[in-house]
């Protein structure tokens, strides 16, 4: 059982089947498909992160997005118009140069731009010294852009359904049954479901669901250095 029928929960179900052949899966949601964070997030897709751990994770995700419409046969409306990050002071500019250099060393596209180059890309922008936030430069990741994240959820959902999985909407989990240290099933507003493994993919409600299973999140917090 996977709790959460958003982009992450449905992707979890999809790759369980695609990578591991596991299709005896039920995806539950207390609302509707893609109606949580997936339906109201920023839609940005990018991999312009500074630390190698984050960069590798997000660049792999961006690569998946780039082929997802074809893979799922569902238009996720990916538009890679570039992700532009601006510097408003000399110190900002130094940081962006360091940031873009780090990305290039990790094999991720990043190009520094002058104010004039930024103006050429965005004619409406004010690059004068009298601007409230003067623009000193910036860098662009050309592969960055936006996607319809609700469409991503719908595409994954259709693929999961085609592979025989169950997606049950309006099915709120009210309790987690345990057999010793193992999960035995979940109680829901639509009845009891037995399961040997439970995935909790519910964003900000993860702690609530973990509490039902008898443990507290986070188990461990590690600061990236």
């Amino acid at each position: 059982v996977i709790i959460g029928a958003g982009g992450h929960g449905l992707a979890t179900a999809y790759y369980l089947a695609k990578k591991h052949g596991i299709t005896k899966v039920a995806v539950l949601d207390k609302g509707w498909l893609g109606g949580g964070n997936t339906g109201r997030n920023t839609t940005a897709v990018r991999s312009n992160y500074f630390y190698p751990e984050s960069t590798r994770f997000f660049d792999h995700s961006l690569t998946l997005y780039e082929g997802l419409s074809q893979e799922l046969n569902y238009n996720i409306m990916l538009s890679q118009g570039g992700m532009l990050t601006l510097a408003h002071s000399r110190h900002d500019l130094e940081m962006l140069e360091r940031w873009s250099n780090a990305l290039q060393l990790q094999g991720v596209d990043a190009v520094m731009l002058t104010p004039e180059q930024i103006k050429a890309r965005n004619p409406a922008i004010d690059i004068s010294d009298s601007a409230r936030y003067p623009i000193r430069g910036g860098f662009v990741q050309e592969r960055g852009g936006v996607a319809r994240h609700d469409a991503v959820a719908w595409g994954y959902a259709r693929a999961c359904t085609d592979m025989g999985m169950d997606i049950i909407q309006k099915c709120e989990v009210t309790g987690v049954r345990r057999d010793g240290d193992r999960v035995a099933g979940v109680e829901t507003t639509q009845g009891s479901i037995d399961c040997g493994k439970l995935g909790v993919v519910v964003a900000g409600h993860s702690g609530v669901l973990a509490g039902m299973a008898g443990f507290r999140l986070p188990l461990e917090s590690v600061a990236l250095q």
Side-chain angles (χ1 to χ4, degrees):
V1 167
I2 295 172
I3 307 173
H8 286 156
L10 291 163
T12 300
Y14 174 77
Y15 292 111
L16 277 174
K18 180 182 177 181
K19 301 289 188 182
H20 305 286
I22 299 170
T23 58
K24 193 176 180 182
V25 176
V27 184
L28 316 180
D29 201 288
K30 72 175 182 179
W32 60 93
L33 192 156
N37 277 10
T38 294
R40 59 176 178 264
N41 60 16
T42 66
T43 78
V45 290
R46 59 199 174 95
S47 58
N48 59 344
Y49 289 77
F50 181 80
Y51 292 106
E53 296 86 351
S54 300
T55 302
R56 286 194 297 270
F57 179 86
F58 283 98
D59 205 54
H60 178 68
S61 298
L62 181 53
T63 301
L64 291 176
Y65 271 118
E66 288 173 327
L68 202 56
S69 290
Q70 291 75 21
E71 181 174 338
L72 299 179
N73 191 27
Y74 196 100
N75 186 9
I76 66 167
M77 303 181 197
L78 175 67
S79 175
Q80 291 175 287
M83 180 77 178
L84 178 62
T85 305
L86 299 177
H88 299 290
S89 70
R90 178 175 61 83
H91 304 290
D92 278 350
L93 191 59
E94 289 176 354
M95 184 60 224
L96 292 193
E97 288 173 340
R98 181 184 177 212
W99 187 352
S100 64
N101 286 340
L103 289 171
Q104 291 174 43
L105 288 170
Q106 295 170 66
V108 175
D109 61 305
V111 178
M112 289 297 299
L113 300 177
T114 66
E116 292 72 25
Q117 289 172 318
I118 292 169
K119 178 75 171 178
R121 294 176 66 103
N122 302 274
I125 204 164
D126 183 0
I127 63 170
S128 70
D129 288 336
S130 60
R132 182 176 183 185
Y133 298 105
I135 294 170
R136 305 305 183 198
F139 83 86
V140 64
Q141 181 185 29
E142 300 287 5
R143 288 171 60 228
V146 294
R148 277 288 298 272
H149 286 179
D150 48 357
V152 171
W154 299 333
Y156 276 131
R158 188 174 70 174
C160 290
T161 299
D162 288 345
M163 290 186 285
M165 300 182 195
D166 293 301
I167 301 171
I168 308 172
Q169 303 176 79
K170 299 292 183 181
C171 182
E172 182 175 359
V173 173
T174 57
V176 177
R177 286 187 284 108
R178 292 171 53 176
D179 180 8
D181 291 333
R182 297 183 63 83
V183 168
V186 292
E187 303 296 334
T188 81
T189 52
Q190 294 194 37
S192 232
I193 303 174
D194 293 337
C195 66
K197 293 210 171 15
L198 179 65
V200 177
V201 196
V202 292
H205 284 86
S206 297
V208 176
L209 269 296
M212 292 181 186
F215 62 93
R216 182 178 177 181
L217 290 177
L219 298 178
E220 183 181 5
S221 296
V222 180
L224 294 177
Q225 305 254 342

